[in-house]
Amino acid sequence: MYNTSFIKKILLAATVVLLYSCDKDFNAIGDNLIGDDHFGLEAENYDVVAYNQEITPIQSNGLIVNALGIYDNPVLGTTTGNFATQVTLASYAPTIGDEPEIVSVVLSIPYFSHATSVTTNTDGTTTTAYALDSIYGAPEGKIKLSVYESGVQMRATSVENGTQVGQLYNTDMDTNLDGNYINFDAKKVGNRLNDRNIAFENDEFFFNSNEITDVTTGTDGKDVTTKVAPEMRLNLNKTFFFDRILKAPAAKLATADVFQEYFRGLYFKVEKSGSLPSNMALLNFAQGKITIKYKALTDITTDDPKLKDDRTLVINLTGSTASLLNDVKDPTYLSTIQNAKQTGDDRLYLKGGQGSLAVLELKDFAAKLETIRANKWMVNEANLVFHIDADQMAVKGADNLQAKEAKRVYLYDLDNNIPIVDYTADGTSSITSDPRMTKVIYGGIINVDATTKRGTTYKIRLTSHIRNLIKDATAKNVRLGLVVVDDINVVASNKLKLKNSVISEAPRATVLNPLGTVLFGGTSTVTDANRLKLEIYYTKPN
């Protein structure tokens, strides 16, 4: 009979050793998990044709997170992220009450954050210090933020050639000047709603990492203190919401479809705050809400017929959305992706959002397939190792910061816009606290130099993909796509506004990610040590 306690101890010890070997920068995660001991195996390297492809305006509705702010990437250029969303009442057909008096209107959107320390105060309460996650650019960056009523009714479907299809909203829908095309910026309504005379709520807005303390009055009349993790807090114009919501005809608040026609949503617009450095955050706007606090005549008969009680009405930031991205690309970057050589580029520019991807063709390997089959070589492992152009990525911007590097790249079947089999077959879970860092054997996680703390390579295993091409003579040697991603678990694709002969879609995960990187390609002008190659380890029969 096995000693269960002993087995648990052994498993715990093994887990600790595994976690200890993986540092917080994901330095070479997965490199030593399998297949790196190639003793007795014979390696063959094959040339790879790799070239750039621009991602033109792309579908950006329904994303799980959206960029808000301005990110100055010293290598790739400046990205401005605006946002549009429908709103919904938390409860339809609300009873507003008689003679309402508005008290406050507050917009709140939680930030991605994690606690760094907890301090116990002299009165026994605690204060938690937080660090914000998914912030790009200057740590103390500021932006001019304006929130408007949107004039665009965002529909879930549209009619195309007589057929009802899903309505698409694209990244360029607040800059395009085509009169037949939606322009959220041109259709914003009235003045900005966050018009309080407090700079950090509008003209010099910043993503504040401080814990928030809310004090309310309990039913017993005593103060109730609540601590809230960092979030955006904006006071919105009370007169607007009094007229638009509290004094609205009851029919306008009765159902979702009528309300969405009546109040079409919000448009978030960002601009530079003078000459101040800026930054950008990824936000889950669906967790946001507008809380209207007001007073109305009490329903309870009292000696005072004018007695009013406190009431709350909540508007949620849910419904159709659009991530609106405007890039001012670095001239070298723009020229390279718009003049890509399908015979191969010496540098591969990957950038999320309305950015760029790389196309890979394994022509050299395909030309040798018959020889491999005839000689009955068995594939033990196949890899693509992408070397980062460290010199380009080391460039600093006006804020003296280097470009933030993408933690991960994603290799997929570009011809069919689906994952390759190695991705699908990899069931490994994350060995860090980040749930986005799964599939560590398939890889694509950045390897970081221990001294410089900057990226060196990304490694993708495509062993099963290569084995299938060898075993099945009818299998198509598809083109492969490579993009930067934020979450490896998102594999759906979004449609491009302007399709071409190479790409008509791009992975949704790259639309979510504002970052980028520069990799060495597979041309002969690249030094052998950095050149992109398909590396296969075989067992060759005697």
Side-chain angles (χ1 to χ4, degrees):
M1 186 174 188
Y2 292 103
N3 186 319
T4 304
S5 177
F6 176 77
I7 293 174
K8 287 182 178 178
K9 290 177 181 177
I10 291 296
L11 290 174
L12 178 60
T15 302
V16 170
V17 170
L18 180 61
L19 291 174
Y20 183 78
S21 66
C22 305
D23 68 29
K24 64 181 180 181
D25 289 319
F26 309 104
N27 185 25
I29 283 183
D31 266 11
N32 297 310
L33 293 181
I34 62 166
D36 276 346
D37 182 1
H38 303 301
F39 179 76
L41 303 180
E42 296 187 44
E44 298 282 346
N45 292 322
Y46 301 90
D47 293 335
V48 177
V49 176
Y51 52 94
N52 294 286
Q53 191 68 205
E54 182 178 11
I55 298 176
T56 55
I58 187 169
Q59 173 194 352
S60 64
N61 52 302
L63 303 181
I64 55 176
V65 295
N66 295 270
L68 183 73
I70 301 172
Y71 176 46
D72 293 310
N73 185 313
V75 180
L76 303 174
T78 298
T79 298
T80 299
N82 299 323
F83 177 73
T85 181
Q86 284 183 323
V87 295
T88 59
L89 289 176
S91 179
Y92 286 97
T95 300
I96 301 298
D98 294 328
E99 298 184 22
E101 295 177 8
I102 201 158
V103 176
S104 64
V105 183
V106 177
L107 168 68
S108 57
I109 305 170
Y111 298 141
F112 292 108
S113 63
H114 64 275
T116 57
S117 66
V118 179
T119 303
T120 301
N121 304 315
T122 55
D123 61 358
T125 61
T126 60
T127 300
T128 304
Y130 288 89
L132 299 185
D133 304 319
S134 301
I135 300 288
Y136 309 110
E140 304 300 325
K142 295 183 178 181
I143 55 176
K144 179 181 178 181
L145 173 62
S146 302
V147 181
Y148 295 94
E149 179 186 7
S150 176
V152 177
Q153 184 176 9
M154 303 180 74
R155 304 181 186 278
T157 60
S158 63
V159 177
E160 192 173 290
N161 298 323
T163 303
Q164 193 170 49
V165 296
Q167 175 68 55
L168 302 185
Y169 295 96
N170 297 326
T171 50
D172 68 337
M173 282 187 168
D174 67 344
T175 57
N176 193 290
L177 299 179
D178 183 345
N180 298 316
Y181 198 61
I182 295 172
N183 186 319
F184 283 91
D185 187 55
K187 288 186 173 293
K188 61 184 183 291
V189 179
N191 300 319
R192 70 177 175 186
L193 300 175
N194 56 325
D195 58 356
R196 192 176 178 185
N197 189 26
I198 298 178
F200 62 76
E201 291 193 15
N202 38 60
D203 286 352
E204 294 184 8
F205 172 84
F206 65 97
F207 300 103
N208 194 335
S209 63
N210 290 341
E211 181 181 47
I212 297 172
T213 301
D214 286 332
V215 180
T216 57
T217 303
T219 55
D220 58 359
K222 295 181 179 179
D223 287 346
V224 177
T225 300
T226 306
K227 299 294 184 73
V228 181
E231 64 179 19
M232 178 189 292
R233 286 277 181 98
L234 302 178
N235 288 275
L236 304 184
N237 187 283
K238 292 189 290 185
T239 301
F240 173 87
F241 282 91
F242 179 82
D243 294 337
R244 201 85 168 106
I245 303 298
L246 297 188
K247 299 301 290 180
K252 299 297 185 183
L253 310 182
T255 62
D257 55 344
V258 173
F259 179 71
Q260 287 175 3
E261 165 63 26
Y262 172 67
F263 186 38
R264 297 183 174 183
L266 298 177
Y267 170 59
F268 292 74
K269 179 181 177 65
V270 300
E271 301 167 87
K272 283 282 190 180
S273 179
S275 59
L276 296 174
S278 58
N279 59 11
M280 171 183 284
L282 292 182
L283 302 174
N284 183 352
F285 281 89
Q287 293 180 347
K289 62 184 179 181
I290 299 171
T291 303
I292 302 174
K293 292 185 178 181
Y294 68 102
K295 294 178 180 292
L297 290 179
T298 181
D299 295 328
I300 302 172
T301 301
T302 67
D303 293 335
D304 182 359
K306 292 297 183 181
L307 183 65
K308 295 188 176 184
D309 54 11
D310 295 324
R311 302 192 183 192
T312 300
L313 187 149
V314 174
I315 302 174
N316 294 317
L317 273 59
T318 52
S320 296
T321 63
S323 192
L324 306 163
L325 304 173
N326 177 32
D327 277 2
V328 178
K329 294 181 172 64
D330 171 84
T332 299
Y333 165 47
L334 180 63
S335 176
T336 302
I337 63 174
Q338 289 187 340
N339 298 283
K341 308 179 187 69
Q342 292 193 15
T343 54
D345 287 323
D346 60 358
R347 297 294 187 279
L348 305 176
Y349 288 83
L350 309 183
K351 184 185 176 300
Q354 190 175 302
S356 55
L357 57 80
V359 181
L360 281 64
E361 299 180 13
L362 307 181
K363 293 181 177 180
D364 187 29
F365 167 73
K368 298 177 175 63
L369 272 172
E370 289 304 320
T371 300
I372 295 169
R373 295 181 184 126
N375 291 326
K376 298 182 179 179
W377 292 354
M378 294 180 292
V379 175
N380 293 85
E381 185 180 325
N383 303 305
L384 285 168
V385 179
F386 301 90
H387 294 265
I388 297 171
D389 187 336
D391 290 339
Q392 284 207 50
M393 291 301 292
V395 172
K396 294 184 178 180
D399 53 11
N400 203 36
L401 295 174
Q402 294 174 314
K404 190 174 180 68
E405 296 178 296
K407 288 181 180 178
R408 198 150 198 184
V409 296
Y410 168 59
L411 184 80
Y412 66 103
D413 174 349
L414 181 140
D415 286 349
N416 299 293
N417 291 300
I418 57 174
I420 62 172
V421 64
D422 296 80
Y423 173 98
T424 306
D426 186 356
T428 54
S429 58
S430 177
I431 55 176
T432 76
S433 60
D434 189 344
R436 298 169 298 177
M437 305 303 284
T438 60
K439 299 188 179 293
V440 293
I441 295 175
Y442 161 82
I445 301 171
I446 192 170
N447 294 316
V448 177
D449 183 90
T451 301
T452 65
K453 302 300 181 183
R454 298 289 289 177
T456 57
T457 60
Y458 299 93
K459 180 178 180 180
I460 296 279
R461 283 189 172 89
L462 64 167
T463 307
S464 296
H465 177 78
I466 293 300
R467 285 174 178 164
N468 286 349
L469 290 175
I470 295 172
K471 287 188 297 184
D472 185 357
T474 64
K476 182 183 177 183
N477 183 25
V478 296
R479 296 172 301 175
L480 302 172
L482 186 74
V483 294
V484 293
V485 295
D486 180 66
D487 188 344
I488 196 67
N489 301 298
V490 178
V491 297
S493 290
N494 283 15
K495 297 182 182 299
L496 296 181
K497 175 184 172 184
L498 304 173
K499 303 174 178 61
N500 60 37
S501 60
V502 179
I503 57 172
S504 60
E505 302 178 11
R508 182 172 301 166
T510 199
V511 185
L512 297 169
N513 192 341
L515 302 181
T517 190
V518 184
L519 309 174
F520 287 101
T523 64
S524 59
T525 58
V526 178
T527 61
D528 187 69
N530 291 321
R531 190 179 308 146
L532 173 62
K533 307 182 192 74
L534 172 62
E535 174 187 76
I536 303 179
Y537 289 90
Y538 294 103
T539 297
K540 299 180 180 180
N542 294 327

